[in-house]
Amino acid sequence: MDEFRPVADALLYLAGSWRLERSVRDLAGTDEGTFTGITTFSPLDDGGGRGLLHHESGTFVWQGVARPAERTLHLFPGTAPGTVDVRFADGRPFHDLDLASGRWVTDHPCAADLYRGEFTALDTDRWRTVWRVAGPAKDLVLTTDYTRDRQSF
């Protein structure tokens, strides 16, 4: 088991570029996929300059077919110091994040499915997310390992 690294300020910790590798497993079948790419957390141009724009882009391979994929999220300071309010690009709430202990578990209901995310800060340059998606529409595990991209500095 990996050790957790306490993080006093999650927004400060996440800022910058990260290489990512994600595995996607369909627990209801035998399908597996991968996503490899880059995610960047850059200052959010929201007029207040208090958040981060999370943009992820790369290649998703599913059932042997590779295709480009990307997503964008907005991260804002949470209600307590060092916490984060994560929102979809359209402003809808996604989940909260508090890495003060180095590990955080959160839920996101999506229609009849439930997304349960576990976030782990491993050290200054590595963190991991594991999303377990369960419900009538999906039965998945998505594991993503992030490594700080020092070349972008």
Side-chain angles (χ1 to χ4, degrees):
M1 174 98 176
D2 291 307
E3 296 293 320
F4 307 147
R5 177 192 186 274
V7 172
D9 186 332
L11 287 173
L12 185 61
Y13 174 76
L14 294 170
S17 292
W18 302 78
R19 288 176 284 135
L20 71 99
E21 295 183 13
R22 177 175 299 134
S23 67
V24 181
R25 288 187 307 134
D26 182 349
L27 301 178
T30 59
D31 291 329
E32 294 188 8
T34 59
F35 178 86
T36 54
I38 296 287
T39 190
T40 55
F41 295 88
S42 56
L44 182 61
D45 186 16
D46 66 346
R50 54 188 184 91
L52 293 175
L53 176 68
H54 170 208
H55 184 259
E56 180 178 287
S57 62
T59 302
F60 181 52
V61 179
W62 186 254
Q63 297 178 339
V65 177
R67 47 180 79 87
E70 64 182 344
R71 75 171 174 173
T72 300
L73 299 170
H74 294 174
L75 284 67
F76 297 100
T79 56
T83 64
V84 178
D85 174 21
V86 181
R87 297 192 168 257
F88 292 105
D90 65 6
R92 289 176 299 126
F94 186 15
H95 64 83
D96 56 349
L97 180 62
D98 181 354
L99 292 174
S101 72
R103 180 176 176 269
W104 182 251
V105 177
T106 189
D107 290 339
H108 170 73
C110 183
D113 295 329
L114 178 67
Y115 286 64
R116 171 156 288 159
E118 179 178 338
F119 296 74
T120 307
L122 301 170
D123 60 36
T124 315
D125 296 324
R126 294 180 313 123
W127 60 289
R128 174 179 297 137
T129 63
V130 179
W131 283 99
R132 172 71 170 92
V133 186
K138 297 176 184 168
D139 194 8
L140 303 170
V141 174
L142 298 88
T143 303
T144 308
D145 288 303
Y146 298 85
T147 305
R148 191 175 299 280
D149 185 4
R150 292 282 181 193
Q151 295 175 348
S152 65
F153 288 96

